[in-house]
Amino acid sequence: MASSKACQRVSFEAVHRFNPVLMAARFRLANGLRIVLMPDRRAAVFAFQTWFCVGSKHEDPGLTGIAHLFEHLMFKGTHAHPPGAFDREMERRGSQTNAATWVDWTYYTEALAARSDNLETVVGFEVDRMTNLILDEATFRSELEVVKNERRMMVDDSVTGALSELLYATAYTEHPYRWPTIGSMQHLEAATPAELERFYRTYYAPNNATLVLVGALDPIDTLTLLAKSYGPLPPQSIPAPPDIVEPKQEAAKLVLMERPVVAPQMMIAFHAPAQGDPRHAQLEMLSEILTAGDNARLYRRLVTDDRLATELVGYVSPFAEPGLYEIVVTARPGAEPERIIDAVQQEVERVCREPLSIAEVDKARNGLELALLEGLGSVEGCAEALGHFETTRDDFSEAFAGPAAWADATPDDLMRAAASIFRPENRTTVAALPAGKVA
Amino acid sequence: MTVAAPSAGPRLHRQQVHGATLLTLEDHSLPLVRTFVALRGGALADPPGGAGLNQVMLDLLLRGTELRCRQEFNATLEQLGSTLQAVTGATASVLRGVCLRRNLDATLELVAEALLRPALDAAEMSSLVDEIVESLRAERDDDDTLSEIFLRRALYAGHPLGRSPQGEIPELQCLEPAAIRAAHAERVRAPAAIVMLAGDVTPDEARSAVEPLLAGMPRDAPPTVEIPPVGAPTGLHITVVDKPERTQSPLRLACPVVDGNHPDAFAFWVGTVAFGGTFTAPFCREVRDVRGWSYTAHADFDRRGLHTQPIVLRSAPSTDDLVDCLALELDLYREFAAGRLEKGTAEFARTFLLNHFPLRVATVADMMVPVLRNELLCLPPGELLEVPGRLEALDVDGVGSRVRRNLNADNLVVVLVATADTIATPLRQRFPDAVVDVVDYREGLHLEKKNA
């Protein structure tokens, strides 16, 4: 084991200033733990987040949902703290506490009033549960029921949840993004504490984690505390992430499902670039132009002019590997899915061949800048942005890279990006229709 | 008048401008400004038979003005990157937006144009009503929303609050353009207006930016909106919202309590937090942690309501656990209604709320809604920042008695979404004293009329 001084050494790695008020820096401990720190005195609060580079894409295809199920179990007992002690103490201190799991990551978040004893307490709990969790049968079974109920709510009885699951299962044939983060009910029921223990010992380690702290904190005191608390944790051997490239889609796909719906729902998606690809930022701009606001091209075509739909949302997946661009359509009863698909395809192809107006490009830049700023309004929002990019891109500063990328993108760049994405054979559509409407 | 958070955080400023109220929440850390233009009245100002009138009026403001058609208006707004949404609640209609600081003046010019010189075009109105009708129909596809729709109906049967603020389909379809114009003339008046700018803007800049808007509003007061008293339920009334293929039931237990100005509202709020406002509170602990019966389990009471607010217990058990879960929740509710809070829970809730308070006032986005709602309640602007003092002064030992005198243990409504074939009989057997009604989840949608 390294000497206590050696293990508490903090290395400075990078700093980035976003504006006169917000600046963040990354440090690293000898055991590999990354720390992203953003002092922020806008309010007397702070956010503490622990990001692990493990999500559903790291799971065994025969045991899906384990990363998310494990997230629930992290709120149970450790050798030092009985079950419930963490939640109770966090609530006593007024904490806003939560966690989330997705395809690329899992993170745990607490937001508290800026008091040194609050920071010491949350660090004490987080260090403890990174290595000392107890995974017994009774705790596991009780929480398993909660997760099964979460799945019923989010997927089984939810039209959009069920459609989203079907969309990814249809669009992907090889890549782990094809299975849902919440997992299949069958796999959840078959999971065992031993498998969860193995998962914990594999992925929950300082060298697979990033701490993100944003708020009214003293940087020196904070780093000293973190080094002293986390420094002694040993690193682990982390398996290489799965290296699976999704084969190029060769033909358009369409899958219909029957559901008790009043309004048919559709998701029309195209395979899209990963977050590190320059076309990702360009696709964000295209999505604004196509779907944001009353005057957006697709909104006008589907909702206002052709009256095929009543609502429309565009969404660019923020994934580390190539994801999807989703267009979610609430159709009017009786509107034929094929007509909606044709209208969407015509509009996205028009973007590929007809020059975009200056007003549309301005709209995209301004709208995206506004959304970015809104996300940075709170300590939790800042921490989420920093943690996401540090975990998926190894670079927290990409959280602030949007405005430059959107400013650099020319109308020609956008047309080229559109042409590479909006090919009919690259499209997958799923739809939920009322009984009797699925041929 | 200026009120500041004790150590850091946004600063709140209130002033009167041309008879309207202007609130500013200052935070210069990011170059953006959020805006509310609220008009007192809201859906409660909709006349009998005219549910949705104020929502349609507000939405129509964004569909063209005397100067610009709908397309031109929205193209101008969108080029700025700004957003505007029309949201009608029970007691106020709000144009809610956000813009980049550099585009504040241009955005507020559009807001003024929309409010003061709307086209209120009949063809746009017809198309808008059609879209609202379709969106009301589509709401039924989300079980959580579905349970809230039928909960509102069950809680406020025969009362204007039982109507959707977005409107009821047959009444929307009968709205006339003349009624929309009359609603606009009646509601867009300075004494009814509360304007809030929050973010990178000073009170002086805010005043200057909204001057054209507020100077253009009529100064005479709008008609008062009378809110009829809300009746209490009698006995246990269970509504099963029947929907095919359900594996899980959004479950709501509710009873009207008091309004935000009632002297017991604050203590009742603390009692509700003690009972079911946190993960470790008894309600959540028993339903979720101990039994794993639901992913969500919490109790809510809105202490800032202008009208009588309910306590609502929310959970979502699987169909297999539904009857047992309801029985458990009824037991827990009756204990709570009798004022029997678990030892130490009221004190714990106070500690939680006190320590949590800095997070409630950390950003302008956090503060905007409570500040607006306080203004609607005619509370002083600093009330939000006085919450810690009120919590400190609260007699926690008296919370149980405040709960008991405002709740009846045996009178409440229950609404659940389920497949009636599998659940109605077990419910009637387990709760023989309850009235159990079954309604189709599409009830009130008038689909047959549409299809004809």
Side-chain angles (χ1 to χ4, degrees):
Chain A
M1 179 178 266
S3 73
S4 80
K5 276 198 172 171
C7 73
Q8 291 180 31
R9 186 177 302 129
V10 181
S11 306
F12 165 76
E13 290 193 341
V15 65
H16 183 89
R17 181 179 285 281
F18 172 63
N19 73 4
V21 177
L22 299 178
M23 179 177 75
R26 182 178 61 234
F27 304 86
R28 196 183 294 261
L29 301 187
N31 60 14
L33 178 71
R34 286 180 279 185
I35 299 165
V36 175
L37 186 59
M38 177 188 268
D40 173 3
R41 299 201 168 274
R42 289 179 291 176
V45 298
F46 72 93
F48 185 105
Q49 297 185 350
T50 311
W51 288 71
F52 291 95
C53 190
V54 59
S56 54
K57 77 175 180 190
H58 299 88
E59 293 167 342
D60 181 325
L63 196 57
T64 64
I66 196 166
H68 171 256
L69 173 58
F70 192 81
E71 171 214 309
H72 278 244
L73 294 170
M74 279 285 278
F75 290 85
K76 301 303 176 184
T78 68
H79 295 289
H81 300 105
F86 172 80
D87 279 335
R88 195 67 173 168
E89 184 58 22
M90 286 299 111
E91 286 177 5
R92 196 175 72 75
R93 291 172 179 276
S95 176
Q96 209 152 264
T97 303
N98 213 331
T101 308
W102 210 0
V103 290
D104 299 317
W105 43 247
T106 303
Y107 80 92
Y108 301 84
T109 179
E110 294 91 27
L112 290 134
R115 295 188 341 223
S116 62
D117 62 321
N118 276 346
L119 179 62
E120 286 161 13
T121 301
V122 77
V123 167
F125 273 106
E126 289 294 8
V127 170
D128 183 38
R129 69 176 176 168
M130 191 184 279
T131 52
N132 292 324
L133 205 64
I134 296 173
L135 295 162
D136 62 69
E137 183 74 24
T139 308
F140 162 65
R141 288 292 156 203
S142 161
E143 202 57 30
L144 179 62
E145 289 307 306
V146 173
V147 172
K148 284 160 66 179
N149 276 314
E150 184 179 356
R151 192 192 145 82
R152 291 182 184 106
M153 176 184 286
M154 302 296 187
V155 181
D156 298 346
D157 282 10
S158 160
V159 181
T160 50
L163 268 183
S164 181
E165 187 169 299
L166 178 63
L167 175 67
Y168 279 79
T170 306
Y172 288 92
T173 57
E174 300 290 333
H175 193 275
Y177 287 168
R178 72 183 185 277
W179 61 77
T181 298
I182 201 160
S184 80
M185 198 67 104
Q186 188 186 1
H187 293 169
L188 289 171
E189 282 170 347
T192 65
E195 284 158 335
L196 289 158
E197 179 80 28
R198 197 159 47 244
F199 182 87
Y200 182 45
R201 296 296 163 209
T202 304
Y203 291 110
Y204 279 67
N207 51 322
N208 200 39
T210 301
L211 306 182
V212 185
L213 293 91
V214 178
L217 299 166
D218 179 274
I220 303 297
D221 290 352
T222 301
L223 287 171
T224 304
L225 173 66
L226 296 177
K228 185 179 163 192
S229 307
Y230 284 92
L233 299 183
Q236 288 173 197
S237 171
I238 309 293
D243 183 19
I244 300 169
V245 177
E246 177 65 23
K248 192 173 172 184
Q249 188 169 318
E250 301 290 352
K253 300 176 183 178
L254 171 63
V255 180
L256 307 178
M257 62 161 64
E258 196 172 280
R259 281 286 188 280
V261 290
V262 176
Q265 295 274 330
M266 295 178 70
M267 291 183 180
I268 301 168
F270 296 85
H271 285 281
Q275 206 155 34
D277 188 316
R279 291 177 304 151
H280 191 272
Q282 293 158 10
L283 180 57
E284 290 176 313
M285 295 178 72
L286 288 165
S287 184
E288 288 285 303
I289 291 164
L290 287 166
T291 64
D294 190 83
N295 217 38
R297 290 185 179 205
L298 272 174
Y299 189 90
R300 281 188 62 194
R301 173 72 187 271
L302 292 181
V303 178
T304 311
D305 295 343
D306 290 2
R307 300 172 66 78
L308 293 168
T310 55
E311 202 182 330
L312 183 79
V313 178
Y315 179 71
V316 185
S317 61
F319 293 169
E321 297 173 59
L324 296 179
Y325 174 54
E326 301 173 31
I327 300 163
V328 183
V329 180
T330 304
R332 281 178 180 266
E336 293 296 328
E338 290 79 6
R339 246 190 102 190
I340 292 175
I341 295 168
D342 286 348
V344 167
Q345 191 63 42
Q346 285 166 18
E347 286 302 320
V348 296
E349 287 183 358
R350 203 158 66 82
V351 172
C352 304
R353 61 171 190 271
E354 293 176 15
L356 299 160
S357 70
I358 291 169
E360 285 178 309
V361 176
D362 281 351
K363 165 190 167 165
R365 287 177 181 146
N366 286 333
L368 288 165
E369 182 185 351
L370 188 69
L372 172 71
L373 293 172
E374 284 190 87
L376 299 178
S378 68
V379 290
E380 290 155 296
C382 286
E384 280 169 24
L386 295 168
H388 171 83
F389 283 99
E390 185 60 34
T391 306
T392 59
R393 301 281 308 142
D394 290 327
D395 184 1
F396 67 90
S397 76
E398 288 195 18
F400 310 118
W406 302 321
D408 286 348
T410 65
D412 284 349
D413 291 334
L414 299 186
M415 289 172 71
R416 275 193 297 276
S420 73
I421 296 164
F422 297 140
R423 293 171 288 107
E425 66 272 21
N426 193 32
R427 189 185 68 226
T428 300
T429 305
V430 294
L433 306 177
K437 299 291 182 186
V438 176
Chain B
M1 179 191 289
T2 299
V3 182
S7 51
R11 291 167 65 83
L12 171 62
H13 183 271
R14 182 180 190 275
Q15 55 189 313
Q16 293 297 122
V17 181
H18 298 300
T21 302
L22 173 61
L23 297 156
T24 315
L25 277 163
E26 269 188 277
D27 172 8
H28 299 283
S29 61
L30 294 169
L32 81 164
V33 181
R34 296 165 200 270
T35 59
F36 280 173
V37 179
L39 303 167
R40 290 177 192 271
L44 280 168
D46 290 345
L53 175 67
N54 276 281
Q55 176 68 54
V56 172
M57 184 271 286
L58 201 68
D59 268 325
L60 208 48
L61 300 182
L62 305 178
R63 298 209 169 192
T65 68
E66 291 169 358
L67 307 178
R68 286 176 251 233
C69 68
R70 172 184 176 183
Q71 184 186 339
E72 196 184 341
F73 180 89
N74 284 299
T76 309
L77 182 75
E78 290 169 22
Q79 187 172 0
L80 300 169
S82 307
T83 61
L84 278 178
Q85 277 181 299
V87 183
T88 298
T91 55
S93 301
V94 185
L95 271 188
R96 188 170 69 184
V98 58
C99 65
L100 296 166
R101 176 62 183 89
R102 62 178 180 265
N103 294 331
L104 176 63
D105 289 342
T107 303
L108 286 175
E109 278 175 28
L110 288 168
V111 171
E113 189 177 312
L115 277 156
L116 302 178
R117 305 183 70 179
L120 303 179
D121 177 74
E124 283 292 351
M125 177 190 153
S126 170
S127 144
L128 171 63
V129 165
D130 179 62
E131 286 169 30
I132 293 175
V133 167
E134 291 305 333
S135 79
L136 288 171
R137 289 180 172 139
E139 278 184 345
R140 304 294 175 95
D141 292 335
D142 178 78
D143 289 1
D144 213 44
T145 309
L146 190 57
S147 65
E148 297 296 329
I149 292 166
F150 283 89
L151 174 64
R152 186 174 58 226
R153 291 183 179 189
L155 263 178
Y156 301 116
H159 190 280
L161 289 167
R163 308 177 301 187
S164 164
Q166 281 64 53
E168 297 294 334
I169 290 172
E171 298 178 27
L172 280 165
Q173 289 171 329
C174 294
L175 287 179
E176 295 290 340
I180 302 295
R181 285 193 289 275
H184 177 261
E186 184 180 285
R187 289 290 137 203
V188 184
R189 298 186 189 186
I194 303 163
V195 179
M196 193 184 311
L197 301 190
D200 189 12
V201 62
T202 66
D204 286 346
E205 290 167 345
R207 186 183 182 105
S208 168
V210 301
E211 172 72 25
L213 166 64
L214 298 180
M217 284 191 187
R219 302 285 186 88
D220 44 337
T224 308
V225 177
E226 299 293 341
I227 308 175
V230 172
T234 50
L236 174 60
H237 196 133
I238 302 174
T239 302
V240 179
V241 183
D242 182 23
K243 189 172 184 180
E245 302 169 22
R246 296 306 87 193
T247 68
Q248 185 179 57
S249 288
L251 174 61
R252 308 287 183 260
L253 281 72
C255 184
V257 186
V258 293
D259 63 51
N261 280 318
H262 191 281
D264 286 344
F266 193 83
F268 195 92
W269 169 60
V270 175
T272 305
V273 173
F275 172 62
T278 68
F279 279 115
T280 67
F283 180 67
C284 184
R285 185 191 66 219
E286 293 300 321
V287 173
R288 179 184 153 130
D289 280 359
V290 174
R291 294 168 180 82
W293 278 348
S294 178
Y295 172 56
T296 58
H298 53 100
D300 299 298
F301 170 72
D302 178 357
R303 74 175 185 87
R304 289 195 171 89
L306 190 57
H307 55 80
T308 302
Q309 295 296 308
I311 180 171
V312 184
L313 279 54
R314 292 179 169 88
S315 64
S318 72
T319 303
D320 290 345
D321 296 325
L322 173 59
V323 175
D324 288 339
C325 188
L326 176 55
L328 170 70
E329 292 189 14
L330 286 169
D331 286 346
L332 292 168
Y333 171 82
R334 286 172 178 142
E335 278 293 295
F336 176 63
R340 290 192 286 270
L341 273 72
E342 275 184 24
K343 187 173 164 37
T345 52
E347 182 59 54
F348 186 84
R350 168 159 70 181
T351 304
F352 165 73
L353 291 167
L354 270 170
N355 289 330
H356 187 66
F357 181 73
L359 295 164
R360 295 269 64 89
V361 294
T363 71
V364 293
D366 294 325
M367 292 178 71
M368 286 182 81
V369 170
V371 165
L372 173 63
R373 303 198 65 205
N374 276 354
E375 192 65 33
L376 289 167
L377 277 170
C378 301
L379 293 174
E383 192 276 344
L384 179 60
L385 301 177
E386 291 164 6
V387 168
R390 293 185 70 187
L391 285 166
E392 296 277 14
L394 181 71
D395 168 22
V396 288
D397 294 333
V399 166
S401 65
R402 306 279 193 107
V403 169
R404 187 172 62 245
R405 72 184 179 210
N406 290 292
L407 268 189
N408 182 312
D410 298 318
N411 298 335
L412 75 164
V413 297
V414 173
V415 172
L416 54 96
V417 179
T419 304
D421 282 352
T422 59
I423 212 69
T425 302
L427 281 172
R428 290 189 174 108
Q429 287 169 346
R430 184 70 169 266
F431 308 104
D433 296 334
V435 175
V436 179
D437 287 336
V438 176
V439 293
D440 189 274
Y441 79 106
R442 294 160 298 190
E443 194 261 342
L445 292 186
H446 297 257
L447 293 168
E448 63 289 351
K449 183 177 173 183
K450 170 84 180 172
N451 293 337

